[in-house]
Amino acid sequence: MLLSILFLIFSLLLIYAAYFFYTGKAMVLLTSTGKETTPEIAAFFIFYGALFFIGGLDSLVLVFYQLTLLAFAVLLFVMLTMLCFIFGLNKRM
């Protein structure tokens, strides 16, 4: 029961992060205010918003089906997505 609650919280956090990225509100993470919003930067945030949404949906599946291998696969996907996002954000600063 506790694991289901934790996966639900994780899913809600990922879906909210996806909304934050997909709507472009995450552009506040770019510290240089001299840059204007280019289509390339907007596409970057939309792409990662979609990936975080997929991770949130996958985590929502884990609320009902608690398979260990599936849980590790979802966590690996989210971890790699976050890692790639941080490296991509570092290149755009």
Side-chain angles (χ1 to χ4, degrees):
M1 181 68 182
L2 181 64
L3 196 58
S4 295
I5 294 170
L6 290 175
F7 279 127
L8 180 67
I9 292 170
F10 186 61
S11 173
L12 292 175
L13 286 173
L14 283 176
I15 291 173
Y16 181 72
Y19 168 75
F20 186 67
F21 289 130
Y22 194 77
T23 58
K25 293 178 182 179
M27 289 189 199
V28 298
L29 297 174
L30 297 174
T31 57
S32 58
T33 56
K35 289 184 180 179
E36 292 183 10
T37 304
T38 62
E40 177 185 317
I41 293 174
F44 170 76
F45 284 107
I46 288 173
F47 174 71
Y48 281 102
L51 286 180
F52 280 119
F53 184 72
I54 291 169
L57 290 180
D58 291 341
S59 182
L60 202 66
V61 168
L62 288 173
V63 171
F64 303 107
Y65 303 107
Q66 297 173 0
L67 302 172
T68 306
L69 188 60
L70 183 63
F72 282 129
V74 169
L75 292 175
L76 180 69
F77 172 74
V78 171
M79 181 198 65
L80 290 175
T81 302
M82 286 182 183
L83 188 66
C84 291
F85 172 72
I86 291 169
F87 286 147
L89 188 65
N90 193 24
K91 283 185 354 186
R92 280 158 182 73
M93 285 189 167

